[in-house]
Amino acid sequence: MKPSKKVANFGVPWEAAYGYCQAVQVKDVVYVSGQLSHDSNGDLVAPAELDASGRPVNFLNMEPQMRQTYLNAAVLLAKFGATFDDVVEETLYVLDVDAAFTVAGKVRKEIYRAELPQCASNLIGISRLAFPEQLIEITFRAVLASG
């Protein structure tokens, strides 16, 4: 017998275009797909300025993009009755590791409300994300309290 799944979406265009759910709960675990810095209309918050070849000119918008990405994840977690207190692992995919590392401590401590957030964290540099103006994408795994 397959475990039942509960899913959540934002209703942004790329969910249907790509064909996926933003988050899935199976038993007491919530898996949150890669989140980015979009607003409620699906428009990117603090998009990176691009050069003629479509690459970011700089990474100055890493902090506002990171903060909005965490805020979007908070909305999804809440749909399952979860908060960042329930997050056990996160993976940050970034175009520039140095730019992300510079702001990650500040943003993560703010979001998790702790000097030492109680979750495993991975920071991985990559060459491209879904949208050219995007500098960061974050996935999450949360475990809900039993009963």
Side-chain angles (χ1 to χ4, degrees):
M1 184 165 136
K2 288 185 178 180
S4 65
K5 294 180 186 178
K6 180 180 174 186
V7 301
N9 277 314
F10 283 120
V12 291
W14 53 88
E15 293 166 350
Y18 186 73
Y20 76 106
C21 296
Q22 294 284 350
V24 177
Q25 178 184 351
V26 177
K27 297 183 181 179
D28 63 349
V29 180
V30 178
Y31 302 89
V32 179
S33 295
Q35 295 302 298
L36 54 126
S37 65
H38 63 82
D39 63 18
S40 60
N41 296 319
D43 298 318
L44 288 179
V45 172
E49 180 184 346
L50 303 178
D51 65 18
S53 66
R55 303 287 300 163
V57 172
N58 59 52
F59 299 95
L60 298 174
N61 287 347
M62 182 66 75
E63 184 173 341
Q65 281 198 22
M66 185 180 292
R67 185 171 283 106
Q68 183 63 46
T69 300
Y70 276 106
L71 295 175
N72 290 345
V75 170
L76 288 171
L77 290 167
K79 291 182 180 200
F80 300 94
T83 69
F84 284 110
D85 290 338
D86 302 301
V87 172
V88 297
E89 183 179 28
E90 64 177 18
T91 300
L92 293 77
Y93 299 94
V94 299
L95 295 186
D96 187 281
V97 171
D98 292 333
F101 198 81
T102 298
V103 299
K106 174 184 174 184
V107 174
R108 291 181 70 255
K109 289 174 183 182
E110 171 188 312
I111 294 296
Y112 285 96
R113 299 178 327 274
E115 278 300 307
L116 187 61
Q118 300 295 299
C119 73
S121 184
N122 311 291
L123 179 63
I124 300 171
I126 59 171
S127 63
R128 173 113 200 299
L129 291 162
F131 300 108
E133 303 86 1
Q134 188 181 347
L135 303 175
I136 184 168
E137 183 171 313
I138 309 174
T139 64
F140 300 86
R141 186 178 325 158
V143 178
L144 304 173
S146 300

